[in-house]
Amino acid sequence: MKKLFLASFILFAFSSITTAQQLKSPQGEFEMQFSLSNDGTPTYSLKYKNKEVVKTSKLGLELKNDKKSLLNDFTIVDSKTATFDETWKPVWGEVAQIRNHYNELAVTLNQKDTDRKIVIRFRLFDDGLGFRYEFPSQKNLVYFVIKEEKTQFAMTGNHTAYWISGDYDTQEYDYTTSKLSEIRGLSSKVRQENASQTWFSDTGVQTSLMMKSSDGIYINLHEAALINYSCMNLNLDDKTMIFESHLTPDAKGDKGYIQAPSTSPWRTVIVSDDAREILDSKMTLNLNEPCKIEDTSWIKPVKYVGVWWEMITGKSSWSYTNDFPAVQLGITDYSKAKPNGTHGANTAHVKEYIDFASKHGFDGVLVEGWNQGWEDWFGHAKDYVFDFVTPYPDFDVKGIHEYAKSKGVKMIMHHETSGSTRNYERHLDKAFKFMNDNGYEAAKTGYVGPILPIGEHHYSQSTLNHYQYVIEKAVDYKIMINAHEAVRPTGICRTYPNMIGNESARGTEFQAFGGSKPNHVTILPFTRLIGGPMDYTPGIFEMDIQKFSPNNNSKVNSTLANQLALYVTMYSPLQMAADLIENYNKFPDAFQFIKDVAVDWSESKYLEAEPGDYITVARKAKGTNNWFIGNVNGETPRTSNITLDFLEKGKKYTATIYADAKDAHYKTNPQAYTIRKITVTSKSKLSQLSASGGGYAISIVENK
């Protein structure tokens, strides 16, 4: 059902109107005000329930080699308002349908001396504000280069922020919780080492940025529909508490090459006095274009296992041999190499995972390290690093394909690019055809290390255009993409739902690199997941990695029950059971939850939430009357109290509760858990302990 009401009025080109224009959200809780300052600078402000959440903030763009830029001296020449209301159905998602309801104000501005026009379009939803710059077709503004975007977000106070340092190349950091005024002093202390990182300021932070004011208002700053533009960081003036956009530069230091007509991404401000509503917001998706793929029948949520964690932890290797200090693809003769005995992607071992997946009802098996070149893949700015089609001698592509097919299991291809984007594009058609020929329906791409061409960044415009090219090219071959080390998502999965997963944050692998903070998973849904689902790779049961990888003394900072809950709290249509087969075989009763939990949902209810402390979510499995609940907890033990009033009235259900034992603790007793079954109805209330770094998971099945 779609409704569109349009009302417009025109203000003639030579008027000098600077009076404010107001825009209210459909339910009236938000009010946005747009105006021009005395020197013709566009500004906006935002109120929520009559409280100011964004003070008067400047808008505009500084252009390269342009004396005037697009900053001031504007007059309003046209203003249009509209109301839009539709309900659309995602291919996969947290819910079966999404309402897209907003009021809009589009202001056309003319710059006096240059006779250049821009449009600033505002959309005010019941959960926040989105706005963007639009550059119409015109004779005086055709090609231009952005030196810096000067969008401001003026905060009303010294809010608590959940942040990671501004960086052009990685989001793989633990989050820091502090006052805005403390960012400068903490920034250099909280940056962990990464394979590729470029920070730019001691007050720079990344989006999605989560904040909480002293009077309990939650504010989230991000962007939506990031296409053909560079990724936005935020730089804080900690004297005025004003954030200003800071775009990622290219190798020349330029921040965007624009050809009109075109638009910027949407800048988003999601606001609520209830943290649960931040998590429930669909505004980022709604600001993206509708699905552009006509036939989406081949796009399906996936639960998978794989040959991966053993390499991450050091138990196995990606490489086939230790004989070669350097590799030249097509020249290096692997048939003469001595196998190192640690190569994980060998045919017999992969078949073990196929058998395991088939036995336990998993959709797919991921295998990393199957292709030639891993002996020499990182750290040398190597362009021709992989060809994505040539397997190692001990990996039988055809045989594995036939074996997986006979077991009803799909194989997932791994394409590590080592940051060499042009090499991947060079091989892309051939690689995707190879996948089609061998039964691979999804690819996990990777961009570890500095980007090639040298000087480019993971989040600069040209690299983002590469990621988008891969997604769109994959549609031609009906391939789903799960991109790792790419740019953080901004809702583009609505338009291209074959982008079924992303990493683009500090995932489970860092638990094998020294560990992550135990409250990390209570912050990610408020930050990274605002833009789209994350392939977090949960499900680790053995927290002491040294037990199976003697040279790695890392500990997974989580209880086992917490790991189960992640399948519900860390929403993704792509979920991995990441641990080793032998570790799952030790805990078959707990593993049952991973087997049972769905990956596609018709309803989602956020029951409890506080960033950095806890999240409790209930989700209804699509096509069933069964529900799953997940709770993750931070450092402080707490009792979670929930009501099951979302269950269908008059019906009885069996709830299986996987919970922390009384003495569970992520450091001292992470594998202590209990499992119990109870009968519940819509009138039931549950009180459940969550340990430090713990949580619980519940499957609720309708009694027949």
Side-chain angles (χ1 to χ4, degrees):
M1 193 67 185
K2 181 184 288 189
K3 298 177 181 178
L4 179 63
F5 305 96
L6 182 65
S8 65
F9 55 91
I10 298 174
L11 303 174
F12 291 100
F14 299 104
S15 66
S16 58
I17 290 180
T18 58
T19 55
Q21 299 184 55
Q22 281 84 26
L23 182 68
K24 288 195 173 184
S25 59
Q27 292 184 6
E29 290 188 334
F30 286 91
E31 180 181 307
M32 191 279 301
Q33 180 170 290
F34 172 82
S35 63
L36 294 179
S37 63
N38 291 335
D39 67 349
T41 299
T43 70
Y44 77 101
S45 62
L46 182 66
K47 288 182 179 180
Y48 169 67
K49 293 183 177 179
N50 295 318
K51 290 183 179 179
E52 196 169 40
V53 291
V54 180
K55 298 192 296 184
T56 299
S57 302
K58 295 180 180 179
L59 300 168
L61 298 103
E62 184 179 3
L63 307 186
K64 183 179 180 181
N65 299 326
D66 189 289
K67 294 180 181 179
K68 193 77 171 176
S69 286
L70 297 172
L71 296 171
N72 54 27
D73 206 22
F74 286 108
T75 58
I76 299 173
V77 296
D78 182 51
S79 183
K80 290 185 173 68
T81 59
T83 295
F84 185 79
D85 193 359
E86 70 168 357
T87 298
W88 59 279
K89 294 181 178 180
V91 175
W92 43 258
E94 295 182 83
V95 292
Q97 56 185 27
I98 294 173
R99 188 180 185 188
N100 184 12
H101 189 197
Y102 59 81
N103 291 334
E104 180 177 277
L105 170 67
V107 183
T108 301
L109 304 175
N110 186 76
Q111 197 171 42
K112 295 177 184 175
D113 292 345
T114 65
D115 194 26
R116 298 186 298 201
K117 291 181 176 63
I118 64 170
V119 177
I120 305 178
R121 188 176 302 273
F122 299 91
R123 289 181 180 172
L124 198 52
F125 300 78
D126 286 323
D127 44 352
L129 173 68
F131 61 91
R132 72 180 182 188
Y133 303 95
E134 300 180 359
F135 312 105
S137 179
Q138 57 194 291
K139 64 179 181 179
N140 291 340
L141 188 67
V142 182
Y143 290 96
F144 58 97
V145 179
I146 297 174
K147 184 176 180 181
E148 188 58 271
E149 183 185 315
K150 308 296 282 186
T151 302
Q152 292 184 346
F153 305 87
M155 298 294 98
T156 59
N158 189 17
H159 302 333
T160 297
Y162 307 83
W163 58 276
I164 55 177
S165 288
D167 200 296
Y168 300 151
D169 284 294
T170 185
Q171 274 204 300
E172 294 176 330
Y173 294 122
D174 257 321
Y175 280 85
T176 299
T177 302
S178 77
K179 294 293 186 182
L180 294 177
S181 60
E182 297 172 320
I183 291 175
R184 182 185 298 275
L186 292 170
S187 190
S188 62
K189 301 173 185 176
V190 299
R191 297 177 186 131
Q192 300 95 349
E193 289 188 12
N194 197 275
S196 178
Q197 55 190 156
T198 312
W199 54 84
F200 60 87
S201 167
D202 283 340
T203 56
V205 297
Q206 296 189 51
T207 68
S208 174
L209 175 67
M210 188 70 203
M211 291 174 285
K212 183 181 181 181
S213 69
S214 59
D215 57 350
I217 303 297
Y218 300 88
I219 306 165
N220 186 283
L221 305 180
H222 194 30
E223 58 184 326
L226 175 54
I227 293 178
N228 195 22
Y229 207 82
S230 70
C231 181
M232 179 181 72
N233 291 275
L234 298 170
N235 207 21
L236 176 67
D237 182 333
D238 48 9
K239 293 179 181 177
T240 62
M241 299 302 166
I242 295 175
F243 284 105
E244 189 168 276
S245 56
H246 182 99
L247 302 182
T248 304
D250 63 11
K252 294 171 60 180
D254 297 328
K255 299 200 170 187
Y257 293 83
I258 308 299
Q259 177 187 348
S262 64
T263 67
S264 76
W266 296 92
R267 279 61 189 99
T268 62
V269 188
I270 303 172
V271 182
S272 180
D273 53 11
D274 186 337
R276 297 174 300 174
E277 292 183 352
I278 302 293
L279 296 175
D280 202 33
S281 172
K282 302 298 183 291
M283 195 175 85
T284 310
L285 290 173
N286 280 330
L287 286 167
N288 278 266
E289 293 295 318
C291 180
K292 291 188 176 182
I293 304 172
E294 289 187 15
D295 173 20
T296 59
S297 61
W298 52 276
I299 302 171
K300 292 180 170 63
V302 176
K303 195 190 299 183
Y304 70 106
V305 294
V307 182
W308 174 75
W309 185 240
E310 59 193 76
M311 283 94 82
I312 292 293
T313 56
K315 180 178 185 290
S316 301
S317 66
W318 284 274
S319 60
Y320 170 75
T321 181
N322 298 333
D323 287 356
F324 304 139
V327 169
Q328 291 179 290
L329 294 180
I331 298 175
T332 301
D333 187 354
Y334 279 94
S335 68
K336 297 179 180 179
K338 177 184 176 182
N340 56 24
T342 61
H343 183 226
N346 65 79
T347 301
H349 189 45
V350 171
K351 285 184 176 180
E352 291 176 354
Y353 271 86
I354 294 171
D355 288 342
F356 184 78
S358 177
K359 178 181 177 180
H360 294 290
F362 285 80
D363 304 298
V365 174
L366 166 74
V367 181
E368 295 200 9
W370 66 276
N371 55 320
Q372 292 183 10
W374 285 93
E375 292 77 13
D376 173 30
W377 72 283
F378 177 78
H380 304 292
K382 188 175 183 179
D383 182 57
Y384 186 26
V385 59
F386 295 114
D387 68 6
F388 312 101
V389 296
T390 307
Y392 280 124
D394 62 347
F395 187 82
D396 179 5
V397 174
K398 297 290 184 185
I400 287 171
H401 167 48
E402 292 302 323
Y403 189 76
K405 187 177 179 180
S406 73
K407 295 284 186 173
V409 173
K410 302 290 187 181
M411 297 300 296
I412 301 172
M413 183 64 77
H414 182 229
H415 288 166
E416 176 55 60
T417 69
S418 192
S420 183
T421 57
R422 62 187 176 192
N423 181 59
Y424 192 33
E425 291 185 16
R426 185 186 300 140
H427 290 91
L428 204 53
D429 281 292
K430 187 177 181 181
F432 284 167
K433 187 177 187 304
F434 181 82
M435 289 178 62
N436 286 167
D437 292 343
N438 292 283
Y440 290 81
E441 297 178 356
K444 173 185 175 181
T445 63
Y447 296 88
V448 175
I451 292 292
L452 293 178
I454 290 172
E456 288 296 334
H457 296 291
H458 284 74
Y459 306 151
S460 58
Q461 183 185 24
S462 63
T463 311
L464 266 62
N465 287 346
H466 163 80
Y467 303 141
Q468 190 65 29
Y469 176 75
V470 172
I471 294 164
E472 295 184 28
K473 174 62 70 172
V475 175
D476 296 340
Y477 293 87
K478 295 187 175 181
I479 287 172
M480 297 181 289
I481 296 295
N482 168 27
H484 281 229
E485 295 89 28
V487 70
R488 48 193 173 272
T490 57
I492 294 170
C493 58
R494 178 189 179 186
T495 313
Y496 293 97
N498 67 311
M499 190 172 76
I500 198 170
N502 284 86
E503 181 197 38
S504 307
R506 187 180 177 95
T508 299
E509 63 186 348
F510 281 84
Q511 298 280 20
F513 305 155
S516 296
K517 293 179 181 179
N519 74 339
H520 186 56
V521 293
T522 70
I523 296 177
L524 280 173
F526 286 100
T527 52
R528 160 62 185 76
L529 273 78
I530 292 294
M534 180 177 179
D535 183 28
Y536 188 70
T537 60
I540 305 302
F541 281 11
E542 180 52 72
M543 313 305 170
D544 186 351
I545 293 172
Q546 200 167 35
K547 287 184 177 180
F548 59 86
S549 183
N551 295 322
N552 189 337
N553 60 4
S554 295
K555 301 287 196 301
V556 177
N557 292 324
S558 162
T559 69
L560 193 149
N562 177 285
Q563 288 291 311
L564 297 180
L566 293 172
Y567 289 92
V568 186
T569 63
M570 295 286 290
Y571 167 66
S572 178
L574 180 76
Q575 292 283 20
M576 184 182 197
D579 210 340
L580 310 180
I581 290 174
E582 52 264 39
N583 291 333
Y584 288 134
N585 288 338
K586 292 176 184 177
F587 303 96
D589 55 351
F591 185 58
Q592 187 64 44
F593 181 82
I594 299 179
K595 292 168 61 174
D596 293 341
V597 70
V599 287
D600 200 16
W601 311 99
S602 58
E603 295 182 55
S604 292
K605 307 288 184 183
Y606 289 92
L607 307 179
E608 303 176 301
E610 183 63 28
D613 292 338
Y614 55 85
I615 296 172
T616 309
V617 191
R619 303 191 195 274
K620 186 179 182 181
K622 190 175 286 186
T624 77
N625 206 24
N626 301 331
W627 288 77
F628 294 85
I629 298 176
N631 163 273
V632 290
N633 192 40
E635 286 265 14
T636 305
R638 69 181 290 269
T639 298
S640 168
N641 293 295
I642 60 174
T643 301
L644 306 185
D645 55 4
F646 48 83
L647 297 178
E648 191 173 340
K649 292 180 180 178
K651 294 199 173 183
K652 292 184 178 181
Y653 299 77
T654 297
T656 306
I657 303 172
Y658 304 77
D660 293 320
K662 290 182 179 179
D663 58 347
H665 189 284
Y666 77 92
K667 277 187 177 180
T668 59
N669 203 11
Q671 292 174 319
Y673 64 91
T674 64
I675 301 175
R676 70 186 194 274
K677 290 181 183 288
I678 60 173
T679 299
V680 297
T681 70
S682 62
K683 298 179 181 179
S684 298
K685 296 182 179 181
L686 292 178
S687 181
Q688 181 61 54
L689 168 72
S690 287
S692 180
Y696 60 84
I698 307 175
S699 64
I700 303 176
V701 178
E702 180 186 354
N703 293 344
K704 299 296 185 182

